[in-house]
Amino acid sequence: MATQTLIPQTTITFPEITLHTHDAHKLRGYFGELFRDYSPLLHNHLQTDDESATDAIRFRYAYPLVQYKVLRHIPTLVGFGEGAKLLAQLFLQVSTLSINGKLIPVHTRHIRCEQVPIGMADELLEYNFVTLWMALNQANYRDYRRYSDAGRAAQLKRVFTSQILATFRTFGLWLSLHERLRVHLSLDERATQFKNQRMVAFSGRFLANVVLPNGLGLGKGVSRGFGSVERYVHSDQPNRLVTRMHDTSWQPRS
């Protein structure tokens, strides 16, 4: 049996509000500020003990356990592990969104709490990147530009593999000696803006012998919605991998 584990996942959506994909960082900014004193998982900033120091605020560089996304124009918050529990606790406190200085009342919000599998699979599974995958940092981007098409494909495969393994380690997963990742990428290069800089990113899909939760982010900018994956499932083959699911919706009384 392939190495897998179950992790908590909470997904909160606001189906009556429509945003653009690039508004995801505004969601992160709003909720990070709204719940700034609640947990560093919500904004990936850590407060040092020395409040007078110039570096009193530092970044949390671990894999983001709370991710802010706009998926198919719907504002979406996704939490994993500790982040899943945190979002579930804060769910009823969300009554407004503030985007571009405009306060938007929240009339309907949905929450989905699951125990989802992550890890190795016994077969190749197909996934789509539903938001752009930012695979490269400044250092390996320079290499990418020097490579031939074959070299670029090999580099992206190496980067993708390392990101998968790093994500596994976040949730305490280590491959056994006989397990190997098999990956096939089908990508198109795109341009995007990240922190006011023009960046190379990728759209497309991939095949890999891994089980990943829908909504999980890979690559750079995960907390801002980049690199979100979604399992492709044929209509006659429902996804049987999600277990112990609880789905509920909440709407205030009129």
Side-chain angles (χ1 to χ4, degrees), residues 133-193:
W133 176 46
M134 283 204 299
L136 305 172
N137 55 33
Q138 289 183 343
N140 55 24
Y141 174 74
R142 289 191 292 268
D143 294 332
Y144 176 82
R145 280 300 177 211
R146 291 190 294 104
Y147 289 151
S148 64
D149 288 346
R152 290 179 179 182
Q155 182 193 28
L156 290 175
K157 185 175 180 179
R158 290 193 301 270
V159 169
F160 179 87
T161 299
S162 68
Q163 291 174 359
I164 290 287
L165 293 176
T167 304
F168 283 180
R169 290 193 294 271
T170 296
F171 301 109
L173 274 179
W174 302 82
L175 303 193
S176 62
L177 291 177
H178 68 276
E179 289 180 311
R180 294 289 183 273
L181 278 175
R182 292 178 290 150
V183 176
H184 301 279
L185 300 172
S186 178
L187 303 171
D188 293 310
E189 185 177 314
R190 307 291 186 198
T192 190
Q193 290 290 121

Side-chain angles (χ1 to χ4, degrees), residues 73-241:
H73 300 290
I74 296 176
T76 304
L77 280 59
V78 185
F80 299 97
E82 294 178 48
K85 299 173 185 177
L86 184 60
L87 286 186
Q89 293 169 5
L90 299 177
F91 172 66
L92 290 178
Q93 298 185 41
V94 181
S95 58
T96 58
L97 296 181
S98 179
I99 305 295
N100 294 327
K102 180 181 178 182
L103 199 63
I104 306 172
V106 173
H107 299 296
T108 302
R109 51 191 184 253
H110 296 168
I111 185 169
R112 183 182 179 100
C113 299
E114 310 167 272
Q115 290 287 330
V116 295
I118 186 171
M120 298 294 289
D122 295 320
E123 59 183 338
L124 290 173
L125 303 176
E126 183 175 355
Y127 297 85
N128 297 318
F129 281 114
V130 291
T131 58
L132 292 177
W133 176 46
M134 283 204 299
L136 305 172
N137 55 33
Q138 289 183 343
N140 55 24
Y141 174 74
R142 289 191 292 268
D143 294 332
Y144 176 82
R145 280 300 177 211
R146 291 190 294 104
Y147 289 151
S148 64
D149 288 346
R152 290 179 179 182
Q155 182 193 28
L156 290 175
K157 185 175 180 179
R158 290 193 301 270
V159 169
F160 179 87
T161 299
S162 68
Q163 291 174 359
I164 290 287
L165 293 176
T167 304
F168 283 180
R169 290 193 294 271
T170 296
F171 301 109
L173 274 179
W174 302 82
L175 303 193
S176 62
L177 291 177
H178 68 276
E179 289 180 311
R180 294 289 183 273
L181 278 175
R182 292 178 290 150
V183 176
H184 301 279
L185 300 172
S186 178
L187 303 171
D188 293 310
E189 185 177 314
R190 307 291 186 198
T192 190
Q193 290 290 121
F194 181 70
K195 296 183 178 180
N196 296 320
Q197 293 186 347
R198 186 178 175 86
M199 302 285 289
V200 169
F202 301 89
S203 63
R205 58 190 177 87
F206 60 91
L207 291 169
N209 59 329
V210 295
V211 177
L212 301 174
N214 286 339
L216 182 84
L218 296 174
K220 189 177 177 65
V222 164
S223 66
R224 297 166 179 250
F226 284 92
S228 293
V229 305
E230 185 177 273
R231 170 93 178 274
Y232 178 79
V233 180
H234 294 279
S235 58
D236 59 342
Q237 294 178 341
N239 188 349
R240 298 184 178 88
L241 294 173

Side-chain angles (χ1 to χ4, degrees), residues 12-14 17-35 42-43 66-71 73-78 87 94 96-102 104 106 223-225:
I12 298 174
T13 58
F14 305 91
I17 299 173
T18 300
L19 295 178
H20 297 290
T21 303
H22 60 252
D23 288 326
H25 76 279
K26 300 172 185 176
L27 287 176
R28 178 179 181 269
Y30 174 68
F31 284 109
E33 183 62 31
L34 183 65
F35 298 114
L42 292 164
H43 46 70
V66 176
Q67 303 170 16
Y68 304 89
K69 311 166 189 286
V70 178
L71 303 178
H73 300 290
I74 296 176
T76 304
L77 280 59
V78 185
L87 286 186
V94 181
T96 58
L97 296 181
S98 179
I99 305 295
N100 294 327
K102 180 181 178 182
I104 306 172
V106 173
S223 66
R224 297 166 179 250

